[in-house]
Amino acid sequence: MVFDTAIDADAFARSCRDWGVDTPCLHPGFLEDERMAQALDRHGLRSWLNIPVFCDLKYLERHPDAYAVTSLGRRAAQDWLHFVCPSRDDYLDGAIEGLRGNLARLSPAVVSLDFIRDFVFWERVALDGPSAGIEDGCYCPICLSRFEKACGEIIDRKDPSAYIHRHLLQPWADWKCRRILEVAERIFGEIGALAPGIALAVQTLPWRETDLDGAIRSRAGQDVPGLAQQADMVAPMAFTQMLGQTTRWKEQLLAHVRASTGKPVCFYVQAEALYRAGNITVEQFDAELTQARNSNPAAIVALQYEQLAARPEKAEILRKHFRP
């Protein structure tokens, strides 16, 4: 995965070839000009287009009224994460138009839907912590009105999150998941019509249905088996260091997703520490790549290029595994 659109596209493509990366994973920001697509072609690389469905700061800067509203009654904006309300049909229409343009500029081997969920900053949520403390969205008037119509109940607007979680949690979770599934179906359908044969992937939170009192459904709105039915592979964002977990936890989570969806799963490997104190040593990076290769994954996804470019000793470990 690569994020910084200011990087030298040709140097990036050369590094990928040198390290044994065959399918760089790009976000749509790299398609605003031809540099990256041309560089990948020159070096004989495939591409993976990762679409950040509801995470769209540029759109929200132009349309601030489209922000999701969180359970605390504020805009869904935390650090780099800025979330559009999932009930905004006009936003979705524009996102589909953008997708058409991106697929006209790039012929990716894989397209994945990322942020195909409701707002929650899961990277900072402890798996052994209280689910009641999770800030989620969306509780805007549009979402609340649609939910009322769907469930036939009137919600107390003084504190809608508290009211829903006390009285209507199951129908709320089901409604949120249905909306996300509808959006995924529309986007995947568009991709299939425009570029049949592309492998489809869906990014999911690293939570089981039993974790955090079912927060993957009630907070994030992700029905993982339902989303997986529309895709060829599932990419659970199972980062051990980021979440303070063990390699055994990761094995169990990926096995659970594989068993519950019937689809192959991707294996993320984190190059540098994020959100928690400590670091990831070269030896740990090497061991996790070994674990990844032994797990029969649909893909191994390294996070991220900018970190590996700054740490040549870790890039060398990548080369060791994939360019023997």
Side-chain angles (χ1 to χ4, degrees):
M1 299 191 81
V2 59
F3 297 101
D4 183 4
T5 57
I7 62 169
D8 182 301
D10 202 65
F12 168 71
R14 282 198 309 272
S15 293
C16 288
R17 291 289 296 177
D18 184 44
W19 300 344
V21 174
D22 61 5
T23 314
C25 184
L26 318 169
H27 62 75
F30 285 97
L31 305 183
E32 293 178 359
D33 58 43
E34 302 296 322
R35 291 179 304 119
M36 183 59 76
Q38 290 174 353
L40 298 183
D41 283 343
R42 280 195 300 272
H43 290 273
L45 294 166
R46 306 189 307 166
S47 60
W48 177 325
L49 179 61
N50 188 49
I51 301 171
V53 178
F54 288 116
C55 182
D56 195 331
L57 176 58
K58 287 185 177 181
Y59 180 85
L60 289 166
E61 287 175 340
R62 300 191 307 271
H63 305 279
D65 61 322
Y67 265 99
V69 175
T70 78
S71 48
L72 299 182
R74 60 191 182 189
R75 283 181 176 179
Q78 187 174 356
D79 199 347
W80 51 266
L81 185 66
H82 293 252
F83 242 68
V84 178
C85 163
S87 291
R88 297 282 178 157
D89 294 325
D90 53 346
Y91 168 75
L92 185 57
D93 291 341
I96 293 291
E97 284 301 313
L99 172 64
R100 291 172 183 151
N102 289 332
L103 292 179
R105 289 185 287 271
L106 186 74
S107 298
V110 183
V111 176
S112 56
L113 301 190
D114 202 354
F115 304 97
I116 181 68
R117 55 179 175 84
D118 279 273
F119 171 83
V120 60
F121 204 114
W122 61 266
E123 295 91 337
R124 295 188 184 277
V125 174
L127 282 169
D128 58 353
S131 62
I134 299 173
E135 184 179 9
D136 70 310
C138 175
Y139 298 86
C140 77
I142 296 174
C143 285
L144 294 177
S145 294
R146 287 188 174 188
F147 175 57
E148 285 176 334
K149 184 176 180 180
C151 73
E153 300 281 348
I154 301 299
I155 298 165
D156 183 350
R157 299 301 178 96
K158 292 180 181 178
D159 189 348
S161 172
Y163 184 87
I164 287 170
H165 282 261
R166 279 198 305 267
H167 304 292
L168 297 167
L169 185 58
Q170 188 60 53
W172 175 246
D174 293 343
W175 178 79
K176 291 179 82 168
C177 288
R178 280 197 304 273
R179 175 57 181 172
I180 298 303
L181 287 171
E182 289 169 359
V183 173
E185 183 177 13
R186 182 175 175 193
I187 298 175
F188 277 140
E190 190 73 24
I191 295 167
L194 291 170
I198 288 179
L200 303 176
V202 60
Q203 312 270 20
T204 62
L205 268 60
W207 300 345
R208 299 174 182 83
E209 292 78 6
T210 53
D211 290 335
L212 297 163
D213 301 318
I216 194 167
R217 291 179 58 88
S218 63
R219 300 286 184 171
Q222 280 198 330
D223 173 355
V224 175
L227 288 168
Q229 288 179 13
Q230 304 180 40
D232 300 300
M233 52 187 170
V234 185
M237 292 175 284
F239 297 111
T240 50
Q241 183 278 334
M242 191 185 299
L243 293 171
Q245 298 296 320
T246 64
T247 56
R248 178 61 178 156
W249 164 84
K250 187 167 192 168
E251 289 175 357
Q252 292 174 339
L253 175 71
L254 297 183
H256 168 78
V257 174
R258 190 182 294 112
S260 64
T261 64
K263 295 293 177 72
V265 299
C266 303
F267 193 112
Y268 276 100
V269 179
Q270 188 181 342
E272 295 291 339
L274 287 168
Y275 301 115
R276 285 177 177 265
N279 67 338
I280 296 173
T281 66
V282 170
E283 292 76 18
Q284 288 170 325
F285 185 60
D286 191 3
E288 191 156 19
L289 282 172
T290 299
Q291 180 192 16
R293 295 185 67 186
N294 291 338
S295 69
N296 192 30
I300 298 172
V301 185
L303 184 79
Q304 64 193 66
Y305 167 76
E306 293 87 344
Q307 295 169 343
L308 289 165
R311 293 289 302 275
E313 67 275 24
K314 287 187 176 176
E316 186 61 35
I317 296 298
L318 201 65
R319 183 188 293 113
K320 183 187 81 169
H321 281 273
F322 301 109
R323 289 289 301 272

